[in-house]
Amino acid sequence: MALPAVDHTAIILTLKLATATTLLLMLIATPLAWWLTHTHARLRAAVTALVSLPLVLPPTVLGFYLLVLLGPRGLVGGWMQAAGLETLPFTFGGLVVGSVIFSLPFAVQPLANAFAAIGARPLEVAATLRASPWDRFVSVALPLARPGFVTAAVLAFAHTVGEFGVVLMLGGNIPAETRVLSVAIYDHVEALEYAEAHVLSAGLVAFSFVVLLMLGRSGGNWQRMPT
Amino acid sequence: MSRIEARFRGTLGAFALDAEFDMPGRGVTALFGPSGSGKTSLLRLVAGLARTPGRLVVNGEVWQDEKRFVPTHRRALGYVFQEASLFPHLSVRGNLEYGWKRVPPGLRTLNRDDVIGWLGLESLIDRSPHRLSGGQRQRVAIGRALLSCPRLLLMDEPMAALDANARAEILPYLERLHRELALPVLYVSHALEEVARLADHLLLIEGGRIGYQGPLAEGMTRLDLPLAHRDIAATVLDAVVVGQDAELQLTRVASGSVELELAGLHGSPGKPLRVRVAARDVSLTLTMPQQTSILNLLPAQVVELAEDAPGQVLVKLALGETPLLARITRKSARQLNLEPGTPVIAQVKSVAVA
């Protein structure tokens, strides 16, 4: 069946959000994961816990605090308003910020695992072959951690597509601005439009299944017991 | 200025190190000691992969002192690890060229194709590292280190992880490098045969301290050092082939005033050949035996005696300037009444190519 135009808008908005979130996450999670795997700082444990918080917190809690923090009376929001900037709640930008924080552990963990799996030796070898620290990172660590990057990007993307609580708290339900797929489904169900809700939901189920299938094929996810 | 001077004093993890050495700026210096004695730690300190207070000067260039610590990637060194540690995401060529590409063209002291040729890597060049045998991988690792055009080559037991066949495959390449390159090599090993075959200079390390440093031949024959008391204790002689007898299949070599004959045709006339005489293959008599199967009968003088394994005595002899070790029973030493200065005839039962 044909979907209403508002649903098309929601799908495109969701893909835009997931793409922006994934790109930003790669930029943020890569140095963070590298630092976590190489630092001896005492702060490490605290940072690890902080990054992992979104794994256990209800998304509504995260969304609520972000709303408070980014709102006009919040610490960050107040500062933004004083600087003459638009505050982030109920905007696409706000959704991106919320999604990045919400999906951070899904990007950091596979990357940190991949960096740790490389071990010290290849980087030491590169150092003895005249490669500077940055050169070693680019020419040895990045290519060897490639499976980790694939896993991190796929998980971050898929997780963002499926997010609901943070979006609802922080973004509300503004068509073409913050009304993403999960919110659209919620709306359809509220309005008892089960047929539309089915199409979108089944689409998400199929999408998620295919993503996880590909991830499993590329060797990520759970390890099989060695035989 | 062609010397390497090092002094390191400090702890690495729980390991205390207090090592000072001075090695020549050419030839192979073996860093020899039991496992856990600090060989690898010392090598890592020289490479700058680990750090303790100290001082390191390589061919006049300060790599570390109180004020400076040159990071590993700015030290012109090559490092061959025990495991080849090739980059799995690069082909053999990519591995070989990794360091080479990072050497400014003006500082490339070696010819790339020469190195690839020496190590016999032409046919492997497009392969992926996981399709190589252990010996091939280590050859690539050696080539990769050489192509970074080092001024000091560090090798950490490059053959320890290989089986006997692969070891036999690698050794000739190492000997060839030794012959053809002036590059100083610091070679970590705990295999005496390897050291006897490759090294010119010896650093003995025990418990993080250097116990002996000096020429190999002296280090192996000094009775106050542990090497002479090993089961496989031997004297190494850098000799020259002076003659070959094709019919008797015999090679005659000379080292200083000492001439030795060994079975088989080895080397070629006029060319250097390193030979090894095991201490247990040398017996002593007081008079020149007549009619014996032993080929090498050498007049010598007892220099020193030392207790060895139970019931055995190690005798250090001088053949002119050349030292020679003999392991005999305590009973024989008493019967012959050996003491420093006693003239004897050393009967050398067998001489091996080192």
Side-chain angles (χ1 to χ4, degrees):
Chain A
M1 67 176 275
L3 281 170
V6 283
D7 285 346
H8 283 286
T9 317
I11 292 175
I12 288 166
L13 186 70
T14 304
L15 294 178
K16 258 171 66 183
L17 176 65
T19 307
T21 302
T22 306
L23 291 178
L24 265 175
L25 267 179
M26 289 298 110
L27 288 179
I28 295 167
T30 305
L32 189 56
W34 185 258
W35 180 80
L36 285 174
T37 38
H38 287 89
T39 186
H40 297 287
R42 261 192 240 157
L43 219 57
R44 186 182 180 277
V47 172
T48 307
L50 203 63
V51 169
S52 312
L53 267 185
L55 288 175
V56 293
L57 278 182
T60 43
V61 171
L62 201 66
F64 170 63
Y65 279 119
L66 282 172
L67 184 66
V68 170
L69 199 66
L70 299 175
R73 284 195 219 127
L75 202 65
V76 179
W79 174 82
M80 286 182 78
Q81 213 169 37
L85 296 168
E86 190 194 359
T87 51
L88 288 169
F90 311 113
T91 64
F92 180 72
L95 280 197
V96 172
V97 171
S99 308
V100 163
I101 293 171
F102 186 49
S103 295
L104 193 58
F106 292 85
V108 170
Q109 248 177 25
L111 287 179
N113 289 344
F115 288 145
I118 294 173
R121 178 55 58 81
L123 298 168
E124 287 184 350
V125 171
T128 67
L129 294 168
R130 300 180 183 241
S132 66
W134 175 250
D135 186 357
R136 302 201 279 273
F137 177 72
V138 173
S139 65
V140 176
L142 286 189
L144 291 182
R146 223 187 67 145
F149 277 94
V150 173
T151 307
V154 170
L155 282 181
F157 191 93
H159 193 238
T160 305
V161 167
E163 111 182 43
F164 178 67
V166 178
V167 176
L168 209 62
M169 295 297 282
L170 188 63
N173 189 356
I174 306 163
E177 179 73 24
T178 63
R179 188 172 180 268
V180 296
L181 207 50
S182 54
V183 178
I185 294 170
Y186 183 72
D187 280 353
H188 283 309
V189 175
E190 286 275 271
L192 299 176
E193 295 159 357
Y194 278 26
E196 286 88 348
H198 263 311
V199 173
L200 293 182
S201 300
L204 259 186
V205 170
F207 166 79
S208 307
F209 180 75
V210 169
V211 163
L212 293 176
L213 191 68
M214 286 183 344
L215 210 56
R217 282 260 197 98
S218 72
N221 255 349
W222 299 324
Q223 302 291 318
R224 186 180 299 149
M225 217 171 102
T227 47
Chain B
M1 293 297 263
S2 179
R3 296 203 73 74
I4 291 132
E5 304 162 47
R7 193 184 67 225
F8 295 105
R9 192 165 297 158
T11 52
L12 283 177
F15 187 75
L17 201 87
D18 183 359
E20 186 166 357
F21 68 87
D22 189 343
M23 65 177 256
R26 61 171 301 140
V28 174
T29 301
L31 179 56
F32 184 88
S35 34
S37 57
K39 303 185 295 287
T40 298
S41 299
L42 196 53
L43 210 62
R44 291 175 64 81
L45 288 169
V46 172
L49 293 172
R51 193 169 175 172
T52 67
R55 182 180 156 77
L56 174 64
V57 183
V58 174
N59 295 329
E61 203 175 293
V62 177
W63 284 4
Q64 184 183 342
D65 62 13
E66 299 76 27
K67 296 187 294 285
R68 264 167 297 183
F69 182 84
V70 179
T72 303
H73 68 277
R74 297 220 183 85
R75 300 183 180 195
L77 57 83
Y79 200 123
V80 179
F81 292 83
Q82 204 175 100
E83 312 81 26
S85 308
L86 299 182
F87 297 125
H89 63 296
L90 298 176
S91 66
V92 168
R93 183 194 304 277
N95 271 282
L96 288 170
E97 290 182 348
Y98 188 92
W100 175 256
K101 280 189 200 150
R102 287 163 174 80
V103 183
L107 295 177
R108 287 177 182 164
T109 46
L110 288 164
N111 181 297
R112 178 173 43 176
D113 296 336
D114 282 354
V115 172
I116 292 171
W118 282 337
L119 290 161
L121 298 173
E122 300 94 334
S123 60
L124 307 176
I125 203 90
D126 291 316
R127 285 221 201 144
S128 159
H130 70 263
R131 288 190 48 233
L132 302 178
S133 71
Q136 288 171 333
R137 269 201 283 271
Q138 201 53 282
R139 261 153 62 198
V140 175
I142 293 167
R144 178 175 69 174
L146 286 176
L147 283 174
S148 73
C149 300
R151 295 174 64 193
L152 170 63
L153 184 61
L154 306 171
M155 302 184 103
D156 187 5
E157 308 206 39
M159 297 199 287
L162 302 177
D163 60 32
N165 287 335
R167 231 175 274 183
E169 171 198 326
I170 292 272
L171 257 171
Y173 291 105
L174 291 178
E175 285 176 322
R176 193 157 173 192
L177 292 177
H178 183 188
R179 275 200 313 274
E180 301 199 15
L181 296 177
L183 183 66
V185 180
L186 185 55
Y187 188 102
V188 165
S189 180
H190 70 264
L192 190 56
E193 305 90 323
E194 231 172 89
V195 169
R197 199 162 157 180
L198 291 170
D200 309 302
H201 216 75
L202 189 63
L203 295 174
L204 290 181
I205 184 169
E206 179 118 40
R209 289 169 174 274
I210 301 291
Y212 166 82
Q213 50 181 318
L216 175 79
E218 186 197 321
M220 286 185 70
T221 52
R222 257 179 51 181
L223 300 188
D224 58 336
L225 294 174
L227 292 190
H229 296 278
R230 293 263 189 131
D231 196 36
I232 50 172
T235 309
V236 168
L237 299 168
D238 277 312
V240 175
V241 177
V242 291
Q244 288 180 327
D245 187 324
E247 206 238 310
L248 293 173
Q249 292 285 299
L250 207 67
T251 302
R252 205 164 66 252
V253 300
S255 169
S257 58
V258 182
E259 280 211 9
L260 293 164
E261 288 178 322
L262 58 156
L265 297 178
H266 304 282
S268 46
K271 289 282 159 71
L273 187 72
R274 179 175 281 192
V275 295
R276 192 164 51 128
V277 180
R280 60 165 176 260
D281 288 339
V282 179
S283 58
L284 305 177
T285 70
L286 293 179
T287 52
M288 187 61 90
Q290 313 294 317
Q291 296 178 332
T292 161
S293 69
I294 300 211
L295 286 180
N296 297 296
L297 299 167
L298 307 163
Q301 213 170 30
V302 174
V303 178
E304 199 184 349
L305 296 115
E307 289 297 316
D308 199 44
Q312 295 196 310
V313 173
L314 210 56
V315 185
K316 185 173 182 175
L317 307 165
L319 289 70
E321 297 283 287
T322 312
L324 186 72
L325 286 184
R327 177 174 278 140
I328 59 172
T329 59
R330 187 183 291 173
K331 184 177 175 187
S332 316
R334 286 217 184 128
Q335 280 176 349
L336 297 179
N337 205 7
L338 295 183
E339 54 185 48
T342 311
V344 292
I345 305 297
Q347 310 182 95
V348 179
K349 186 155 188 281
S350 109
V351 180
V353 174

